[in-house]
Amino acid sequence: MGQMGFPVLWCKWIKGILTSARSSVLVNESPTFEFICSKGVRQGDPLSPFLFLLVMEALSSILGKARIVGLFKGIHTPNNGPVLSHLFFVDDALLMGEWDRVNVENMARCLRIFYLCPGLKINLQKSNIYGLGVGNSEVSVMAKVIGCKSDDIPLTYLGIRVGANMNSINNRYPVTD
């Protein structure tokens, strides 16, 4: 077996796809010399979403295991609904949990384990932390614990205001549009 339990041949196929990409630039409608792409799959490649799902399955398993053993506490939904600790959409990951320093530190540890498994690192410079029902200074302290930016609610996610007063007509327009 190869990495993460996949067959060795399958791992070689994926590595071949990721390392064999070549590109050239059009200058005055004439292609320049070909060069090897060193950053993996090209943008828009139909394989990208599939690879993202495979890799995010690893992060999902890490967070799920941490939740089962009590190291990471997710958000309890009402009426004995599911416990949410993460949501994935296209190329985004949304991690959520109880507001507690140990919980945040353990979430950061899960991200570190995720980096050690497939070798993919979360870009913390592009990541934000939000706190519900806590002060901005406390959110800033937690952001320093993780190494990301702090931000306020309401936030805009995929063009929709999250945490905004939905009784206001102006906040409903992006949803209906």
Side-chain angles (χ1 to χ4, degrees), residues 117-166:
C117 289
L120 294 174
K121 190 172 187 179
I122 303 292
N123 187 346
L124 294 174
Q125 308 307 316
K126 292 182 177 179
S127 301
N128 294 334
I129 186 169
Y130 301 89
L132 297 175
V134 296
N136 290 343
S137 61
E138 194 174 339
V139 175
S140 295
V141 169
M142 290 294 195
K144 288 178 184 165
V145 168
I146 300 174
C148 66
K149 297 179 284 188
S150 64
D151 207 349
D152 298 333
I153 302 285
L155 64 115
T156 300
Y157 183 70
L158 301 174
I160 297 174
R161 299 286 289 163
V162 177
N165 179 2
M166 294 313 284

Side-chain angles (χ1 to χ4, degrees), residues 8 27 29 56 65 126 129 141-142 174:
V8 174
V27 177
E29 298 182 22
M56 287 299 107
K65 180 71 171 179
K126 292 182 177 179
I129 186 169
V141 169
M142 290 294 195

